[in-house]
């Protein structure tokens, strides 16, 4: 099994030290792979270290701005850090199809958008985003 694969297995088992060790080792072997940065960000999330997670997601997004999941994780980290204005901008872009997919927004993006709106005190917009998330989830089922 690859070093990255071991890191993933350990991440799923919540063995964070081992997961981080293997992801760092894989990153040393392949420094251009932004997915490894995202996995290090997920380790940081599980440790409730949103500042480190954000740094990892921003680095991954800078390397591959076309990958929507990298930007979604970045918006999630911004929200957890209370930087809702920035999170809103990223989540809106994703919800409006700025992910490059050309289709409607996924329900997870819409739920995040609703949470950010709620944190900003924009109740009507939050309810609209939550309703759209339910519609998207139903359409995907």
């Amino acid at each position: 099994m690859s070093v990255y694969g071991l890191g993933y297995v350990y991440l799923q088992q919540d063995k964070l030290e081992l997961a981080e060790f293997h992801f760092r080792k894989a990153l040393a072997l392949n420094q251009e792979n932004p997915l490894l940065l995202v996995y290090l960000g997920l380790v940081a999330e599980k440790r409730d270290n949103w500042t480190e997670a954000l740094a990892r997601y921003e680095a991954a997004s800078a390397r591959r701005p076309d990958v929507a999941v990298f930007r979604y994780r970045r918006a999630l980290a911004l929200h957890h850090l209370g930087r809702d204005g920035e999170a809103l901008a990223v989540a809106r872009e994703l919800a409006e199809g700025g992910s490059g997919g050309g289709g409607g927004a996924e329900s997870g993006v819409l739920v995040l958008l609703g949470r950010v709106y709620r944190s900003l005190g924009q109740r009507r917009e939050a309810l609209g985003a939550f309703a759209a998330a339910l519609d998207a989830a139903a359409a995907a089922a």
Side-chain angles (χ1 to χ4, degrees), residues 109-122:
V109 170
L110 295 167
V111 167
L112 175 59
L113 187 60
R115 288 178 179 166
V116 173
Y117 277 132
R118 185 178 58 201
S119 291
L120 292 170
Q122 298 177 20

Side-chain angles (χ1 to χ4, degrees), residues 51-108:
T51 301
E52 181 181 337
L54 176 60
R56 300 292 183 187
Y57 301 146
E58 286 181 336
S61 294
R63 289 182 186 178
R64 289 290 308 271
D66 58 312
V67 180
V69 72
F70 297 173
R71 291 181 293 150
Y72 171 79
R73 301 304 313 180
R74 180 174 173 258
L76 183 64
L78 287 165
H79 173 59
H80 276 274
L81 290 169
R83 294 167 56 181
D84 287 319
E86 294 168 81
L88 180 61
V90 177
R92 272 186 179 160
E93 178 184 309
L94 289 168
E96 293 168 1
S99 63
E106 293 185 17
S107 60

